[in-house]
Amino acid sequence: MSISTKYNPKEVEKKWYDSWMQRGFFHSKPNPNKEPYTIVIPPPNVTGVLHMGHMLNNTIQDVLIRRARMQGKEACWVPGTDHASIATEAKVVAMLKERGINKNDITREEFLKYAWEWKEKYGGIILEQLKKLGASCDWDRTRFTMEEDMSAAVIEVFVDLYRKGQIYRGVRMVNWDPLGGTALSDEEVIPKDTMAKMYHLQYEVVAAGASEPTYITVATSRPETIMADVAVAVNPNDERYIHLHGKSVRIPLLGKEIPIILDEYVSIDFGTGALKVTPAHDLNDYELGQKHKLPTIDILNNDGTLNELAQLYVGQDRFAARRNIVKDLQEADLLVKIEEYASVLQTSERTGAVIEPRLSMQWFCKMDKMAGPALESVMNDEIRLHPPKFKNMYRSWMENIRDWCISRQLWWGQRIPAFYLPDGSHVVATTAEEALVLARRESGNENLQAEDLRQDEDVLDTWFSSWLWPISVFDGFKDPDNKDILYYYPTNDLVTAPEILFFWVARMIMAGYEFRNEMPFKNVYLTGIVRDAQGRKMSKSLGNSPDPLDLIDQYGADGVRAGMLFSSPAGNDLLFDEKLVEQGRNFSNKIWNAFRLVKGWEIDESLPFPNETAVNWFESRFNEAFVQIEDHFSKFRISDALLAVYKLVWDDFCSNYLEMIKPAYQQPIDPQTIAATSAFLEKILKVLHPFMPFITEEIWHELAERKDKEYLIVAAWPKKSKFDKELIGQMENVLQVVGAIRNIRNSKNIPNSKQLELYIKVMGQNEYAPFLGIISKLANLSEVQFTTESVDGAVSFIAAGDEFFIPMEGNIDVEAERERLTKELEYTKGFLASVDKKLSNERFVSGAPEAVIANERKKRADAEAKIHAIEQSLAAL
């Protein structure tokens, strides 16, 4: 069978992915004879399509799951999607708008029908795209956070926590998203640096009988909220305002009279020292208002427009009202000045809208009790964060945790299981039937009917379902002792982004201890953010994010996977450059060409075995590299593991080993060498498979005849074996010699086809004798001899501490070579002088670590040897 001269990913990828699927290699079920290895996918939003962050995250997960599968573990990677309340509702509202339908004109049931229609049409796109990447998820286990069983688990948890007193309802200051029309938790608010304006306004002091009006200046960044002012506060110790104690002022334009209150909270040195108090629209003002028993006036509608309580600018958007009020204040001569200052704008993670702090009746979950075990487990490394630098951030957040606002003013999501009685009281129950029983009992009214109860209109925060994910995907609430949850839980590794360490990871840990009394996973691998070459976060709005599917189409999935991992150490941002993916594609081609070379050799069974040294060396080199690779995996240095494989394949196998054993042009190879080489290639394919699954599976099947289920995806992962350090070190010296000869060829324009002679000056034990054939072959030498003297008319060089000579008669321009050597001698003498100066410095020698001093002494010895060799070469010329 002829082998294609060029690797074609498009022909290979679908073929092998379909084949893996058909043979059930991704599917997992509990097996008491095997160790489980479990990953649950961070469920992407059902609204999502594949982006570069998904590519990185899911490539890492697939590397881990494929390696575990090859290690003989029962590998289970559970996929799924998140219903994403705010984002999905926005998509459905937009879809309805295109159809001429307003959400407010239809019932909740009708809206949900449209939402499910949208989900069924678009909700699985991202999972299908992950298959293009090679993600080996157990697709039979695909879950969705709003499927019936998972929603039932959410409701069960809400009821459980409510009955434990950990969920309550109350009026609190919340983050309000005017565009989404819902409250948000603190973690769903994204701060953005910006330049803002500070407006200095004149509040007239109420003074009966005064001939001239007097004013107090108040600074605010939000003049559109002055209609909600209920007081102006000053510090009682501020001498500038002592004469105003007990007085009142009038709100500009509105003319409403409000008191001046005294509170040491107000900073004398900040701004004007006078603070407008607007309890409905600022958290600190709210607490000040509570302390002084001030009224609360909310002048904003849910959509960010001003309501009737504002009296002015009613119906206008908050920012339009700001522009208009500033204009009117200027015309009324009540605006003293406007200053620009650096500020932080709080925005909605989902819609991008500027957040409004506002008082709202919401449902909250107490977090302090659950945070305790979740904090302890991470601090004592029962659950390990990789890299551990995130532990301090995690601790800071957990030690200062606030109650979680869990209600959202939406229709898409799990509806809060609270049912209101006609008198305004409520009961919480998993079903309407159970609620009626509770309502009759608690009210003492047996005549209550189902229609007398009204269920809460709000839904639960999306994260309130996803914090249960590692348990609910295995039906751990529906059936707490089912075989799946008992076998697969706790899961092993979680791969996610640092920005949801608190949104999701911390909450899953809390849920694990709260509902199963154990951790949900053992390791958390925190990826970095994928950024462009300028360090900007990739986004559609900036236009700096390539389409992952286009990259796969151009470079192949293996090339993209390798390219993403070449520079993505855990917890550090990845500066993405398409050249990395190109490098990944080139690596695929290198592997393919190496395979074609080996497969193309003709075998002569009668030939002896001339390559024993090369074979023994590469076997040791592979075993050494494999120990390094396994160490990187144990420390979750996935990028370093790939780079170790890359070096092993590109440098050691392709550039060195294959060149050592390659037969002469159109000459056959012996059977022992080809058998060893094929075995090495199989081992390489195994360690490379988790990173580049498609090309490795293709070569695996091309390399030898395989039985129906003898696939690389389930081939046995290599075992650690002993390696000969001395042989590896000797070969390093040999390759250093070969490299030096090649450099001499390049510097003197001697063609590779021209054979050279080599003299090795050996003073003691001769370590090069077993490697003469390899040196001659790699460096194209006609003769290698040993000598105890310098060789006249030869270029010399130092490698691995020994001196070598290459006769140059007839090969070089003597004058040009003399000039080159003279310049090199001057440079080396200058370098030696700088090293001597450093070593003669007593402060350096007494203060530097011994290893540093030893390194400098080695530099000196090497420079002296090089000077001696150059001087001899000059003398020979």
Side-chain angles (χ1 to χ4, degrees):
M1 184 173 62
S2 63
I3 301 168
S4 173
T5 57
K6 190 176 181 182
Y7 175 63
N8 190 333
K10 291 180 183 177
E11 292 178 0
V12 167
E13 290 170 3
K14 187 176 189 310
K15 174 181 73 174
W16 290 121
Y17 199 88
D18 289 348
S19 192
W20 294 327
M21 289 279 286
Q22 289 163 9
R23 284 161 178 77
F25 290 133
F26 301 165
H27 183 57
S28 175
K29 57 185 179 181
N31 184 340
N33 299 316
K34 293 172 75 174
E35 176 189 346
Y37 177 84
T38 317
I39 293 178
V40 293
I41 201 170
N45 286 352
V46 75
T47 59
V49 293
L50 201 62
H51 60 59
M52 299 304 286
H54 291 136
M55 294 280 279
L56 175 62
N57 185 291
N58 287 282
T59 294
I60 292 168
Q61 290 178 79
D62 197 46
V63 168
L64 294 173
I65 208 78
R66 285 179 181 272
R67 173 172 173 265
R69 190 181 290 122
M70 295 175 75
Q71 287 176 317
K73 298 175 183 178
E74 188 58 45
C76 180
W77 183 10
V78 182
T81 49
D82 188 281
H83 63 275
S85 292
I86 298 172
T88 304
E89 184 142 330
K91 292 276 188 183
V92 177
V93 168
M95 178 189 77
L96 292 175
K97 190 175 182 181
E98 288 177 2
R99 298 183 186 181
I101 303 171
N102 189 312
K103 176 191 170 186
N104 297 325
D105 295 336
I106 60 176
T107 65
R108 184 188 197 110
E109 289 69 27
E110 289 172 324
F111 178 84
L112 290 176
K113 182 180 176 182
Y114 285 117
W116 280 105
E117 173 193 319
W118 187 95
K119 184 266 175 188
E120 293 305 317
K121 185 174 181 180
Y122 299 105
I125 289 175
I126 192 167
L127 298 184
E128 289 303 311
Q129 291 175 329
L130 285 176
K131 294 177 183 179
K132 300 279 188 185
L133 185 66
S136 58
C137 302
D138 185 348
W139 300 109
D140 295 336
R141 292 182 176 274
T142 303
R143 306 304 298 262
F144 175 53
T145 52
M146 257 183 71
E147 65 184 67
E148 187 176 342
D149 285 347
M150 300 193 82
S151 287
V154 170
I155 300 306
E156 179 185 326
V157 164
F158 182 97
V159 173
D160 176 65
L161 291 176
Y162 177 81
R163 290 175 180 170
K164 289 175 180 175
Q166 288 176 239
I167 284 180
Y168 64 93
R169 184 170 183 256
V171 176
R172 299 286 186 277
M173 184 68 72
V174 299
N175 305 299
W176 187 263
D177 178 349
L179 190 56
T182 182
L184 302 176
S185 66
D186 290 343
E187 296 74 48
E188 291 169 297
V189 177
I190 308 299
K192 292 186 178 179
D193 293 332
T194 187
M195 291 303 294
K197 293 179 178 179
M198 185 66 74
Y199 303 88
H200 293 251
L201 314 182
Q202 297 269 51
Y203 284 61
E204 183 185 353
V205 178
V206 177
S211 57
E212 292 280 336
T214 58
Y215 298 92
I216 182 172
T217 303
V218 174
T220 178
S221 61
R222 304 178 67 206
E224 72 277 9
T225 64
I226 65 172
M227 290 81 76
D229 288 353
V230 294
V232 168
V234 296
N235 191 300
N237 303 312
D238 192 336
E239 295 183 357
R240 293 172 295 175
Y241 301 123
I242 289 177
H243 67 289
L244 297 179
H245 291 189
K247 303 274 187 179
S248 298
V249 294
R250 299 187 196 282
I251 297 174
L253 300 181
L254 191 62
K256 180 181 176 181
E257 191 173 326
I258 55 174
I260 293 175
I261 63 170
L262 309 179
D263 200 290
E264 292 186 351
Y265 166 77
V266 182
S267 172
I268 296 174
D269 301 326
F270 182 77
T272 65
L275 176 74
K276 67 191 280 301
V277 183
T278 318
H281 300 288
D282 182 272
L283 178 59
N284 294 322
D285 287 10
Y286 173 71
E287 292 174 355
L288 201 59
Q290 292 290 98
K291 178 180 177 181
H292 290 270
K293 296 182 172 55
L294 297 170
T296 299
I297 304 169
D298 185 350
I299 62 167
L300 288 179
N301 294 313
N302 287 352
D303 62 357
T305 57
L306 273 63
N307 62 30
E308 288 76 9
L309 294 178
Q311 300 182 53
L312 304 176
Y313 316 105
V314 174
Q316 293 185 16
D317 177 78
R318 53 191 167 148
F319 298 121
R322 179 180 301 177
R323 290 191 295 270
N324 290 331
I325 197 171
V326 168
K327 178 184 175 184
D328 292 344
L329 286 166
Q330 285 174 323
E331 290 178 355
D333 203 24
L334 294 173
L335 183 61
V336 178
K337 63 178 177 177
I338 303 174
E339 294 177 326
E340 282 209 346
Y341 71 104
S343 180
V344 177
L345 205 62
Q346 305 297 331
T347 63
S348 167
E349 184 215 13
R350 297 299 183 195
T351 68
V354 176
I355 291 300
E356 281 291 340
R358 69 180 300 200
L359 284 173
S360 182
M361 176 67 79
Q362 301 287 343
W363 290 89
F364 295 87
C365 182
K366 296 178 182 177
M367 304 302 287
D368 51 354
K369 181 182 175 184
M370 286 188 283
L375 173 59
E376 183 182 354
S377 64
V378 171
M379 289 301 104
N380 65 20
D381 286 333
E382 183 180 17
I383 297 173
R384 292 181 178 270
L385 303 186
H386 303 274
K389 68 179 183 180
F390 288 104
K391 284 176 68 173
N392 287 336
M393 187 190 300
Y394 180 88
R395 178 174 60 191
S396 174
W397 190 80
M398 295 294 277
E399 288 178 345
N400 296 282
I401 199 166
R402 298 170 66 177
D403 288 355
W404 175 12
C405 176
I406 57 174
S407 47
R408 299 291 179 268
Q409 289 63 57
L410 303 165
W411 282 350
W412 176 247
Q414 287 94 4
R415 194 171 177 180
I416 289 176
F419 299 82
Y420 299 92
L421 282 66
D423 64 0
S425 62
H426 67 267
V427 293
V428 170
T430 55
T431 64
E433 292 76 17
E434 184 187 339
L436 182 58
V437 173
L438 276 174
R440 285 173 175 173
R441 185 171 70 224
E442 293 187 11
S443 68
N445 182 358
E446 290 297 324
N447 295 321
L448 279 176
Q449 299 300 313
E451 55 269 24
D452 295 327
L453 301 184
R454 176 182 57 84
Q455 187 174 354
D456 199 301
E457 292 292 324
D458 291 351
V459 299
L460 285 157
D461 178 12
T462 296
W463 298 102
F464 198 83
S465 58
S466 54
W467 79 319
L468 311 176
W469 185 249
I471 305 173
S472 58
V473 293
F474 297 115
D475 292 323
F477 293 98
K478 177 183 177 183
D479 183 0
D481 296 316
N482 77 77
K483 62 181 181 179
D484 277 1
I485 192 77
L486 295 178
Y487 183 73
Y488 292 114
Y489 189 94
T491 66
N492 293 76
D493 302 327
L494 179 77
V495 181
T496 191
E499 58 260 37
I500 57 173
L501 180 58
F502 314 124
F503 272 118
W504 189 46
V505 178
R507 288 174 180 162
M508 283 191 290
I509 297 172
M510 287 187 254
Y513 286 107
E514 178 70 20
F515 302 112
R516 290 200 68 86
N517 200 30
E518 60 182 331
M519 60 185 173
F521 30 71
K522 302 178 182 71
N523 295 285
V524 181
Y525 179 104
L526 296 158
T527 67
I529 297 170
V530 183
R531 300 184 182 276
D532 65 14
Q534 299 177 42
R536 301 175 302 173
K537 185 175 180 179
M538 285 190 163
S539 69
K540 289 180 181 177
S541 59
L542 286 176
N544 63 345
S545 180
D547 185 326
L549 295 182
D550 288 345
L551 290 176
I552 290 174
D553 187 61
Q554 184 175 356
Y555 298 102
D558 290 325
V560 175
R561 289 165 65 112
M564 293 293 291
L565 291 177
F566 275 140
S567 59
S568 56
N572 291 326
D573 291 351
L574 164 64
L575 294 180
F576 179 79
D577 189 325
E578 200 163 320
K579 289 179 181 177
L580 293 169
V581 179
E582 188 177 342
Q583 183 184 354
R585 190 266 316 277
N586 294 344
F587 189 33
S588 293
N589 292 337
K590 186 77 171 180
I591 298 160
W592 185 254
N593 290 334
F595 155 67
R596 286 184 61 245
L597 179 67
V598 173
K599 198 68 175 173
W601 289 333
E602 183 184 340
I603 305 168
D604 185 342
E605 297 289 345
S606 65
L607 289 177
F609 180 32
N611 297 307
E612 185 174 3
T613 301
V615 167
N616 289 342
W617 164 72
F618 188 77
E619 184 173 18
S620 274
R621 177 66 194 107
F622 178 90
N623 292 338
E624 179 190 45
F626 184 70
V627 169
Q628 295 168 347
I629 292 162
E630 289 288 81
D631 182 60
H632 290 318
F633 269 117
S634 72
K635 296 179 172 69
F636 285 84
R637 297 198 296 246
I638 310 301
S639 179
D640 292 337
L642 172 59
L643 290 172
V645 178
Y646 180 87
K647 184 181 184 302
L648 175 71
V649 175
W650 195 291
D651 295 343
D652 299 315
F653 186 71
C654 296
S655 299
N656 295 323
Y657 174 74
L658 291 182
E659 292 300 314
M660 292 176 194
I661 65 163
K662 184 168 66 175
Y665 180 63
Q666 291 190 335
Q667 296 296 309
I669 195 167
D670 67 281
Q672 284 178 277
T673 299
I674 199 69
T677 303
S678 296
F680 292 152
L681 190 50
E682 285 198 351
K683 283 185 175 181
I684 284 170
L685 293 175
K686 288 179 178 181
V687 295
L688 190 55
H689 178 78
F691 304 100
M692 305 176 77
F694 293 108
I695 189 172
T696 52
E697 191 73 80
E698 174 76 1
I699 295 175
W700 176 262
H701 287 270
E702 291 277 5
L703 195 59
E705 288 290 327
R706 309 289 180 186
K707 295 178 183 177
D708 183 54
K709 288 209 171 183
E710 280 186 347
Y711 276 61
L712 180 57
I713 190 175
V714 288
W717 188 249
K719 303 288 185 184
K720 290 182 182 178
S721 300
K722 293 180 180 178
F723 53 89
D724 188 336
K725 287 185 178 180
E726 184 178 359
L727 176 59
I728 292 170
Q730 289 172 334
M731 189 61 81
E732 284 177 359
N733 292 342
V734 166
L735 294 173
Q736 191 177 340
V737 171
V738 171
I741 296 170
R742 289 172 175 171
N743 288 338
I744 288 172
R745 283 185 184 274
N746 293 335
S747 66
K748 295 171 175 37
N749 295 316
I750 302 172
N752 292 328
S753 59
K754 185 177 180 64
Q755 289 192 319
L756 300 174
E757 295 176 26
L758 177 69
Y759 288 84
I760 307 174
K761 187 177 180 181
V762 178
M763 303 305 294
Q765 185 179 0
N766 182 1
E767 294 183 354
Y768 296 96
F771 303 96
L772 295 186
I774 290 173
I775 296 173
S776 294
K777 189 172 187 179
L778 296 183
N780 192 19
L781 306 175
S782 60
E783 186 179 6
V784 180
Q785 295 187 42
F786 294 98
T787 180
T788 56
E789 303 293 334
S790 299
V791 178
D792 292 339
V795 169
S796 67
F797 63 89
I798 302 293
D802 293 307
E803 191 171 2
F804 299 79
F805 301 89
I806 300 175
M808 287 287 114
E809 186 176 351
N811 290 326
I812 62 168
D813 179 332
V814 174
E815 287 305 317
E817 180 63 10
R818 183 180 287 115
E819 184 180 349
R820 187 189 69 81
L821 286 171
T822 302
K823 287 181 179 178
E824 189 174 357
L825 180 63
E826 289 174 359
Y827 171 81
T828 308
K829 284 182 175 179
F831 176 77
L832 177 61
S834 68
V835 175
D836 282 337
K837 184 177 180 181
K838 190 179 289 187
L839 288 171
S840 64
N841 185 328
E842 290 185 9
R843 288 182 63 187
F844 170 75
V845 174
S846 61
E850 185 57 39
V852 173
I853 297 170
N855 188 46
E856 292 299 319
R857 286 172 178 158
K858 184 178 183 305
K859 287 181 185 177
R860 179 168 64 185
D862 289 346
E864 288 171 343
K866 189 172 183 180
I867 288 168
H868 176 69
I870 295 171
E871 287 174 341
Q872 285 193 321
S873 294
L874 282 168
L877 290 173

